[in-house]
Amino acid sequence: MLTYSALQPDPPPFRDRVQIALAIADSSILQSILTECVPPIALPHRIGSIRSSIGVPIEAKKSVDGMIQLEEIECVLIDSSQDVERAVTEYSQRHGNQRGYVDLTRCEAETRDLGLITNLAQAIARLSQAGFSSEQIQTILHLPQEAWHKTWWYMPDGDGNFTVPFLRLMRSQYYLDGRVAIQYKDLFAQEKPSCFKSREQKIVVEIFSETKGFRKTLEKINYARQQMGVERALLIGDRFSELEAQGFMSQGVSLYAAQELVLPVEANCEWCATAGCPMQGRIESPVVTCQAFCLEAV
């Protein structure tokens, strides 16, 4: 049986506090870290799924403080024909392009497979995740042998906003062993779409310690990036001098203030003074930690 004490334990050391906060952080907190660090690592509308890992090994007896893995959205399906017409018109006006669809589809990419798909159910799930409607999925999966299904998509412009339209052709191929091959190729104006929808990105996370200093911290980050084949890095610290901040950022490291990471407090609903909470004052409450826990002032 768990018992509670009215006395609060001493807070954990700074490094442990940050790692605990990262370990239990939900996707919204992780997203705010990546969008509010300086410089930002990702834009909010380009983040899909996201998760964090703590104490990630890079070799025997060596590890990084943490790793954030995110799905970075690279293109999105345009929903309606009206949106397509507007997208084509806006793009043509921005680029002084009078031929509209012709110029937007003048380049053709090679045919690519949509990953390894072992059965029809998996094919339906993959297409649904990409944003296709049930009707579109059924059309793609039941096309004649050499037919293609056409849809318009956006990929990001130089500012990371989805404004550049391109045409995507989809088809399905069936094999005797039950496998289904979903194939696609893109028609575009200049830059070829980099992937079907999204890519997994990894960010090395290090916690700054003034005792370790600038050189050793950057050395550890660079070693981890090299060993793990990762470009992006995030440094979380209590405080940075202006020179340290400039130095880290010039080496491709984003900075985040540890004060923004709120560690949930060990809660005791019986003692909590947060009015309006249904658990307030309950001895048998199952709540262990809570962001709103507050002891009434004496």
Side-chain angles (χ1 to χ4, degrees), residues 246-266:
Q246 291 178 359
F248 284 122
M249 288 189 289
S250 71
Q251 297 301 305
V253 179
S254 295
L255 306 180
Y256 187 80
Q259 295 92 331
E260 302 299 324
L261 274 174
V262 179
L263 186 62
V265 178
E266 186 175 349

Side-chain angles (χ1 to χ4, degrees), residues 146-165:
E146 298 301 324
W148 293 85
H149 180 263
K150 298 179 180 179
T151 49
W152 282 90
W153 294 63
Y154 280 127
M155 58 181 162
D157 55 25
D159 295 325
N161 298 312
F162 292 112
T163 64
V164 182

